[in-house]
Amino acid sequence: ENIIGVAPQDEEYYKGLSSSGTIKCKDGSKTFTKTQLNDDFCDCSDGTDEPGTSACPTGKFYCRNAGHTPLSIFSSRVNDGICDCCDGSDEYNGKIKCKNTCWEAGKVARDRLRKKIETFQEGVTIRKHDVEQAKLLVAKDEAELSRLKNEENILKGLVQQLKERKEQIEKAEEKERIQKEKEEKQKKEAEEATVKEQKGEEKVNVQEQESKGSNSEDDGKIHDHPPLGQDLNKGPADPGVSLAHDDDDDDDDDDDKDASVDNIEQHAEKNEESSKVAHEHDPSPGPGSKEEDASENAESLSREELGRAIGSRWTGKKAEQQQDEDAGTARNNDDNEDDETSDNAHEEEDSGYDTETEEDHQHHEEDDTEDHMDDVGGDEADDDSSEHKYESDDEMDMSDMEDTSNPSWLVKIQQTVRKFLQAVNPFQTPVDTSESESVRKEYDDASGKLSKIQSRISSLTKKLGHDFGSEKEFYSLYGRCFEIKENKYVYKVCPFKEASQVEGHSTTHLGHWDKFDESYRVMLFSSGDKCWNGPYRSLTVRLRCGSKVEVSDIDEPSRCEYAALLTTPALCLEGRLKSHDHHGKGTRR
Amino acid sequence: WKKEEFRNCNQTPFCKRARSRKPQHCNLIATDVIIADGDLTAKLITPKENPHEEDSSSNPLILSLSVYENGILRMKIDEDPSQNPPKKRFEVPDVIVPEFESKKLWLQRYTKQVIHGDSADSFVVYLFDGYEAVLRSDPLEVFVREQTSGKRVLSFNSHGLFDFEQLRVKKEGDDWEERFRSHTDSRPYGPQSISFDMSFYGADFVYGIPEHATSLTLKPTKGPGIEESEPYRLFNLDVFEYIHESPFGLYGSIPFMLSHGRTRGTSGFFWLNAAEMQIDVLGSGWDAESSIMLPSDQNRIDTLWMSEAGIVDTFFFIGPKPKDVVKQYASVTGTSAMPQLFATGYHQCRWNYRDEEDVKNVDSKFDEHDIPYDVLWLDIEHTDGKRYFTWDKVLFPNPEEMQKDLASRGRRMVTIVDPHIKRDENYHIHKEASKNGYYVKDASGKDYDGWCWPGSSSYIDMVNPEIRSWWADKFAYTQYLGSTPSLYIWNDMNEPSVFNGPEVTMPRDALHYGNIEHRELHNAYGYYFHMATSDGLLKREGGNDRPFVLSRAFFPGTQRYGTVWTGDNTATWEQLRVSVPMILTLGLTGITFSGADVGGFFGNPDTELLVRWYQVAAYLPFFRGHAHHDTKRREPWLFGEHNTELMRDAIRVRYTLLPYFYTLFREANVSGVPVTRPLWMEFPDDEATFNNDEAFMVGNGLLVQGVYTEHAKDATVYLPKDHTWYDLRSGTAYKGGKMQKIEASDAIPVFQRSGTIIPRKDRFRRSTVQMENDPYTLVIAVNSLGEAEGELYIDDGKSYEFKKGAYIHRRFIFSDGKLTSVNLATSASEGTNFLSDCTIERIILLGHSSKPKSAQIEPSNHAAEVELGPLQIQSGARSSVLTIRKPNVRVSDDWSIKLL
């Protein structure tokens, strides 16, 4: 017969109870008899004798859950008035009746499992394809790289030759020019003699003026009190700068804390004050007096400003931002003001968001030839998540070299150069201007091409330097971004590049690509924008098998430490599919 | 901490004046001494050189002495109403329990006596068996003395520092304004402070007067050889990042001081006054220059009490045992409310659990890691723009479902409700409050407008009972939309905290109902708010669900309305360390249900600190993890398997001991004796315990020694003398009376005292709700006579039926190898019996000399096996203690178990 709470595979262990009368606890601590089995008294401290009751706190209870998956639950759940097993077997003392929901739950679970397996299977196929593709593409990249390196070598030589020729021509030209000048000089010698004195005087005047100007500039920098009207924000005592320094060492030391609190207040206050200066041309006190505490200077603060400044100690928010929040415009977005931009607090956010605009331009529909993954990741059923491609450096305009696999342009250029070298005689005088022009043009073209090739080489080298996984299964994620909309934010995850949070026109960088972790189960993005009074932002992306690449479940479990989930075929490993399959069949049986 | 933001004594004129007075400053004498209405009354007058001089400050004061049951002397001094003072001075209402008046002993007569060759008579009245109260008329002194020896116990004005600034009508040229930083206090009534000296005789140490982040014993603040410090300040303030070892005032105030000494025992002194107070503990020899003659054969600690306003309404408690004093104090201000069982479990809080999904995740992680907890908390961000009683619609779209889901696993939720009301015309609370004139007014009579979380805010005037009743109604389910019966409340910021006010609080010249100035009731503001909220929870369930309301501000009487915590502490070892004396002090002064944020509110605790904090806090009355929103997540499962295990163990130990804790909460509810106690409360004759505040007692049975340093492998513990102490985990016996070094790497040292019986429930569940029917374990630690005693109190854990007798209260007595369960409950009225099927599944015997094989149970007349078993059931536990296996007697029955 079955022993309540014991898994079928464990029943063997209890056989001894009927034959010998006593058996040992699994941890060997004691022996117990059949009457002690499930008698609601804990004899074995590991719970061996009480698999079916709550008497042993460290025990486990096994529910068979026919129709669904068996489950092992903590002993503390047995007869606790809550139905934990779908077959209700954990609640048998009559205090509560549990419906058997295993069939329904099992059906749902089986459907889900079937879907999961399908996804897995699909994912495995895609992954295989990806891996093959990646091999090809990496090989292609590597081939391109080696070809480019080769071309670079040749081109370098040509450019060098052209450069030499160009210099020879220029030398000749220079010679010609000097000759000409000499002649002209002789002509004008007589005139020069007469105007010499006048010119000399002028020169002295100019020099005088120049030296005066630079002196006054120095004055401004050295003196403590900037002249009236000079923008205080640019002064050396800029609050943003000092804040940035203090925040760097954010340890638990009390003194440091006090110091940083001081700074918070100073910061808030200084912002207030300097904006006042800027707007009202109020002759403000010198920088020394600004070292005081926010509320010290309470008279200069309005009641509201004081309230905000004090309140901001707890919230870690700056006063103005709290105001934004009150107006209902932004939630928790104080963080936009990272230290890098606080230098220009009054220059608006624009400066901080240059990258964003740039990026916006860079976003364009992926071109279909790029890769097969579009078929998988492309059907965007989910409104909230989407994908974009970022233009990585390797996708720069190489059109003038057109089909880079065809070396004809190189041959052509080589021929042209050879022609030049033969045709152009650098020692001929006067220099043939049309010839010298073409040499120059040819040199510019060739060196332009060379630098393009070089930058392509560097971006390819960088790309190939990335860790794309043991089978390069993550290669296809390179150069792509995945987005998800969560409330009013759009989160962008660009593997191998960066991650960001976008709200309207403001972008907060959650991190730069760092590395894979936990044997390719996690992507780490770190060193994002610094949190005000907190750490640098970071994002941890957990990876799951899926047929599509999609980001989901973005979250901020601790302040400025983000977490997200990304499904990708790269995680669909055949081995794991087999275990799923097995499990599925097991349940159906 | 911003020291300069808060006034020190020198910046506080009344304090500066009082502190600079010299002994024998007071020239008042008592005249017209009579007995009237059961009180001894007198007029206090200044003997005039020129009787024609018109000076209101020399109007006579009225002094009255009343005597109450069990050794309490009450002394009041106020202006004489028949002299028509400009304003009636504020007497704090609703603090003294109504029953107290019925304990008054009506004085019939006094005897006269001449003391120390005084020129005038002294008047002596009966106080308590062996104690008398004495009014000495010239020089003025009021003291309590032992009848036979004549030794003083407590005395008022023995150094002549009494000063009472009477209200005056403002005359031309009077400049009463006071300025502090950018704030101006108009002080329309001018100086009105009171100060006096108070002496505790036979005292080795003084304790009490929370809230300060300092040691349990109050260090002297003034005197020869003492580094002069600020006086202990009692002024409720929201202090950002408060520091330890500071006499500055924190969130709450209780002007109640206790003294204890080996020879005399314990005394207490309580001044019911809600204005700012400053108290100096004077080091011996401070009065060396004065010519005062006081008995020198008794140790004495002198103190100086100073208050900005109010009247003298004071209580002298004669003790003489520590528990007598706390009981005497409780008879004036009430005992602590009986908490619901769930509130004694573990609470999980954070600023903020962001949204419903976050709540769900955190809740399910507790189950995943098999860690019990009872309450999940939501801080200010759950509201719609800091409008209390509302929900953020995006983050918490379905609050009722969320609470019901938690409740389905026996868990409660707590939301925050603060007293600052957002000034928003569309906010219903603001609309009603401004329309009805329910806000505190500024000095000009307009609604006071201050700044707090929501921005521009006004503050409900909680001193008015009508307004409190209106506020209480806001907690009805139909008013607080989205609330359910499993939702309870947290009152924060009720000092009140005002970000742009003087010292981050309300201006002293703000006006309350009845023309009370804020300066007069400041320290009680949060108390009235707490009271109104608690009444709200009572009302919403028709008065039969015990409220749970956590408050940051407190005042005498707070214990009747709920729980307090020590506010915004910091994640440092020092703050873990200081949390223990802070909580013990609260317990001594009536508020036993208190705790500190586990892990420290500000900053990120090291993992080791966090683990130690759980281990200590698990034995303190209110057990809640909380953290600032800038900190990293720190739920117990985030620090690796080993640390999860240590924190789980700490929480589980708390849950296994809940039957003991609940019994102690009941004891506190009945008598006023706190759940956690300084060692000297249990061992008043053991001098080594008097200033020990790193260890504490839970009840009379458990001694807990915290670990407050990094990398500690062991801890040194003082175990009080004349007892044997049993290690809670190993059962190892230690002799008391010396220091013991105890291994402490995985848990802090905890001991059961010999002679006690502690009830446990060894099956931990998801929450207290599922533990209801689980069987008990009794742990008996016998003393040298082979005896032990303990109690168990059980009721339904939530309602007030226990007041009608619906509870089980047993005393377990072990003697002569026989354990007997005796009923302590008074017989319940018909139909209100509390029934329980719970049994005792295991009885553990520590220190028993013989090796019995079985036990005989009566009256059922059956036998139970006796064997060796583990002390705590956990994997790999050694079976080493004598265990009665499955006696299975019911806790509600009378029975006995005899070892054979």
Side-chain angles (χ1 to χ4, degrees), chain A residues 39-40 43 54 76-78 80 84 252 262 295 303 313-315 555-559 561, chain B residues 2 5 181 354 367 370 449 451 500 568 604 628-630 632-633 763 765-766 874 885-886:
Chain A
D39 70 338
D40 204 24
D43 291 294
S54 60
S76 62
R77 310 292 197 256
V78 177
D80 70 345
D84 291 283
D252 286 335
D262 277 335
S295 39
R303 287 182 46 262
R313 291 173 186 166
W314 283 271
T315 57
D555 198 7
E556 189 185 353
S558 277
R559 195 159 154 84
E561 291 177 9
Chain B
K2 316 286 302 171
E5 230 160 63
R181 293 161 76 88
R354 268 189 329 276
D367 284 346
D370 207 20
D449 181 349
W451 196 272
N500 59 355
D568 297 348
N604 293 309
H628 186 273
H629 66 28
D630 277 350
K632 282 170 175 294
R633 288 273 170 149
R763 309 183 183 195
R765 305 287 197 167
R766 286 179 169 93
Q874 57 196 13
R885 193 178 183 281
K886 293 176 81 172

Side-chain angles (χ1 to χ4, degrees), chain A residues 65-114:
Chain A
N65 288 349
H68 191 13
T69 323
L71 190 64
S72 211
I73 60 170
F74 294 118
S75 290
S76 62
R77 310 292 197 256
V78 177
N79 288 327
D80 70 345
I82 299 165
C83 306
D84 291 283
C85 302
C86 64
D87 64 4
S89 59
D90 59 316
E91 295 300 318
Y92 58 83
N93 66 354
K95 298 245 180 210
I96 183 183
K97 261 216 152 80
C98 297
K99 269 198 254 166
N100 187 326
T101 58
C102 286
W103 182 248
E104 295 90 318
K107 195 169 172 304
V108 173
R110 280 189 294 279
D111 288 348
R112 206 184 309 133
L113 188 60
R114 202 171 299 125

Side-chain angles (χ1 to χ4, degrees), chain B residues 345-450:
Chain B
Y346 175 62
H347 300 249
Q348 183 64 46
C349 186
R350 178 179 177 80
W351 177 19
N352 211 78
Y353 287 120
R354 268 189 329 276
D355 52 23
E356 288 176 7
E357 201 188 328
D358 201 2
V359 167
K360 215 181 175 75
N361 281 337
V362 171
D363 176 69
S364 65
K365 287 280 182 190
F366 273 98
D367 284 346
E368 204 176 293
H369 294 277
D370 207 20
I371 300 173
Y373 90 101
D374 267 76
V375 192
L376 199 109
W377 292 53
L378 296 180
D379 208 323
I380 50 175
E381 312 297 335
H382 83 277
T383 59
D384 174 13
K386 320 293 188 297
R387 294 170 187 88
Y388 305 106
F389 305 102
T390 70
W391 301 83
D392 183 309
K393 299 235 162 19
V394 176
L395 303 175
F396 295 92
N398 303 301
E400 292 188 32
E401 276 170 47
M402 171 178 63
Q403 291 157 49
K404 282 176 183 157
D405 177 59
L406 288 176
S408 74
R409 286 176 300 283
R411 284 161 186 157
R412 291 0 189 240
M413 178 162 262
V414 166
T415 53
I416 195 164
V417 173
D418 290 353
H420 49 259
I421 302 300
K422 186 178 174 74
R423 295 192 59 83
D424 166 5
E425 291 308 324
N426 296 318
Y427 177 31
H428 68 285
I429 303 279
H430 172 65
K431 246 194 301 195
E432 286 177 45
S434 56
K435 192 187 83 199
N436 296 334
Y438 284 173
Y439 284 134
V440 179
K441 308 291 186 288
D442 63 22
S444 75
K446 291 196 307 255
D447 283 351
Y448 173 68
D449 181 349

Side-chain angles (χ1 to χ4, degrees), chain A residues 161-212:
Chain A
Q161 280 174 305
L162 281 167
K163 192 182 172 196
E164 280 163 15
R165 183 53 52 99
K166 193 180 78 140
E167 279 166 3
Q168 283 169 340
I169 292 174
E170 277 164 1
K171 229 180 193 170
E173 283 174 339
E174 178 70 3
K175 215 172 173 186
E176 226 175 280
R177 192 181 60 78
I178 291 168
Q179 181 61 36
K180 246 182 206 164
E181 264 180 16
K182 212 176 183 181
E183 283 162 16
E184 266 174 48
K185 200 180 168 191
Q186 281 165 346
K187 262 189 221 166
K188 288 178 183 170
E189 232 167 10
E191 289 171 58
E192 271 174 15
T194 55
V195 292
K196 199 178 176 184
E197 223 179 334
Q198 255 182 308
K199 268 189 180 172
E201 274 171 26
E202 259 176 56
K203 213 176 180 181
V204 170
N205 279 341
V206 169
Q207 269 172 352
E208 245 170 51
Q209 269 173 4
E210 270 173 4
S211 74
K212 255 187 189 168

Side-chain angles (χ1 to χ4, degrees), chain B residues 88 162 169 218 238 531 576 592 595 618 682 717 764 786 799 806 817 826 828 882:
Chain B
K88 191 186 172 317
F162 176 49
V169 177
L218 297 168
D238 183 1
M531 180 191 288
L576 165 60
T592 194
E682 289 296 334
V717 191
F764 15 79
S799 78
T826 47
L882 212 56

